[in-house]
Amino acid sequence: LGYSKMNHIIEKTSKIINWVQVGTKEDRHLNNLSLDLRNKTSLRELFFLISKSNFTFTNEGLITHISAAFRIPCITIYTGYHYPKISLYKDTIPITPSILPPCAYCFKERCFKSKQPNVAKCSRDININEIIENIHKLNHSSKYII
């Protein structure tokens, strides 16, 4: 999705959402956060944070699966890395590109077709407004994970 789009989403919702960022020290810091827990949580603590959240927002990966285990709604960004059906759970809210390039579902760790570093070509057509609308629908408390 890219940090620019992520920061835009957080900026548009930071007045109603207490955003918490988790991840590693290599992950870039996002703006307008309530709490930055990058490189500060163990796996056990991550499970606890997610279990106490009202929803999560992530690229497809570990947080999608942990959220599903606790039946926590998860807005999940699916690019063309792999088929969304691999991790669609009852509480997953999938966000997919409106148009996938021919190279989609490549299962490659890095997109070699993109001209932007760390932004897959297939993530360009993801609708940010759709994400923001889903966040507003889920906004019913103040504990959130990104």
Side-chain angles (χ1 to χ4, degrees), residues 6-22 29-37 55-58 75 131-132 134-136 138 141-146:
M6 291 290 283
N7 278 321
H8 180 75
I9 292 165
I10 294 169
E11 178 186 335
K12 292 291 184 189
T13 59
S14 64
K15 287 184 173 60
I16 61 167
I17 304 292
N18 290 319
W19 289 103
V20 177
Q21 183 178 2
V22 296
H29 179 268
L30 295 166
N31 301 325
N32 299 305
L33 297 172
S34 297
L35 189 56
D36 180 3
L37 293 178
F55 77 88
T56 58
F57 172 49
T58 188
I75 300 171
I131 296 167
I132 292 170
N134 277 293
I135 289 169
H136 283 289
L138 293 170
S141 186
S142 61
K143 300 172 188 161
Y144 302 92
I145 297 289
I146 182 167

Side-chain angles (χ1 to χ4, degrees), residues 86-143:
I86 290 174
S87 62
L88 279 179
Y89 301 103
K90 181 180 177 185
D91 296 304
T92 302
I93 301 164
I95 305 294
T96 57
S98 55
I99 300 170
L100 282 171
C103 56
Y105 306 127
C106 64
F107 292 89
K108 303 261 189 239
E109 221 173 280
R110 233 182 112 204
C111 179
F112 296 102
K113 304 273 184 178
S114 178
K115 293 181 173 130
Q116 290 180 284
N118 300 321
V119 179
K121 182 177 182 181
C122 50
S123 69
R124 277 190 252 159
D125 291 319
I126 290 178
N127 185 338
I128 302 246
N129 291 328
E130 180 183 359
I131 296 167
I132 292 170
E133 286 172 20
N134 277 293
I135 289 169
H136 283 289
K137 286 179 192 173
L138 293 170
N139 178 33
H140 58 278
S141 186
S142 61
K143 300 172 188 161

Side-chain angles (χ1 to χ4, degrees), residues 30-92:
L30 295 166
N31 301 325
N32 299 305
L33 297 172
S34 297
L35 189 56
D36 180 3
L37 293 178
R38 290 172 301 139
N39 211 42
K40 296 177 184 169
T41 54
S42 67
L43 189 56
R44 183 181 188 143
E45 291 166 332
L46 180 62
F47 272 74
F48 178 78
L49 283 168
I50 291 172
S51 75
K52 299 302 178 189
S53 298
N54 291 94
F55 77 88
T56 58
F57 172 49
T58 188
N59 292 321
E60 198 291 317
L62 179 64
I63 291 176
T64 303
H65 303 290
I66 297 172
S67 298
F70 289 107
R71 298 190 178 187
I72 302 296
C74 182
I75 300 171
T76 303
I77 306 297
Y78 291 96
T79 60
Y81 173 69
H82 70 67
Y83 303 99
K85 65 184 174 186
I86 290 174
S87 62
L88 279 179
Y89 301 103
K90 181 180 177 185
D91 296 304
T92 302

